[in-house]
Amino acid sequence: MLKKYKPESIFGPVAQISGFTLVAAGFWISTFSFTGIFLLAIGSFVGFSYSRTFVDSTNRRIKRLHLLFGFVPIGKWIEINQAMKIAVRKSNSYWQAFSQSNRSLEIKDSQYSVVLMGNYRKEIMLICKCNSLDSAKKILAELTIILDMNS
């Protein structure tokens, strides 16, 4: 059985919106200049690229896949052995912006990541990200049963 998870976007949400804007500007500019083709290429790369994680339970392997331009796949399968484990990690990200009046705005982004761990608790790959600990533990329990692993 093949399951897929969406761990994160490659460039982030702001770059993705900027990529869509560059694609729109590239369409408009390409009607009267060749510069628009350059904007189309960069905008489609940044705006449409994303990543996925595939879990193959029948062959006991995991694949982290990056889809460049939305359709060019890059990634390889990793065979799961007995030394590997799946764990939940908490990640705290802070987004900070400064204004011209020397005021700063901090936004805290806390998410839980389900990761594949190797020997000596070394993180091999990110499987998925969740907003709550309960949903991360649910995915962790599901994957340990499907892949017959220890958590």
Side-chain angles (χ1 to χ4, degrees), residues 12-131:
V14 175
Q16 192 172 18
I17 292 170
S18 299
F20 295 150
T21 306
L22 284 175
V23 167
F27 273 127
W28 181 65
I29 293 174
S30 66
T31 58
F32 54 86
S33 175
F34 287 115
T35 309
I37 296 171
F38 180 70
L39 289 176
L40 275 171
I42 294 211
S44 61
F45 178 72
V46 173
F48 297 115
S49 296
Y50 62 94
S51 65
R52 292 282 184 260
T53 302
F54 291 99
V55 177
D56 186 7
S57 60
T58 56
N59 297 324
R60 292 194 67 207
R61 58 189 185 163
I62 295 178
K63 182 179 190 177
R64 179 74 186 266
L65 184 73
H66 297 287
L67 291 158
L68 304 178
F69 296 101
F71 62 89
V72 178
I74 294 176
K76 66 177 186 170
W77 288 101
I78 295 177
E79 300 291 330
I80 296 175
N81 58 29
Q82 295 296 357
M84 294 181 180
K85 297 183 182 219
I86 299 176
V88 175
R89 297 269 171 119
K90 184 175 183 180
S91 61
N92 292 322
S93 299
Y94 291 95
W95 303 92
Q96 189 172 16
F98 294 99
S99 67
Q100 289 183 350
S101 62
N102 292 332
R103 292 185 183 177
S104 65
L105 172 67
E106 271 190 15
I107 299 171
K108 181 180 176 184
D109 185 21
S110 297
Q111 289 185 334
Y112 295 92
S113 303
V114 180
V115 295
L116 179 66
M117 308 290 281
N119 294 338
Y120 308 110
R121 305 283 292 170
K122 182 181 175 188
E123 186 175 320
I124 296 174
M125 83 166 52
L126 174 70
I127 297 174
C128 69
K129 282 193 172 185
C130 303
N131 290 328

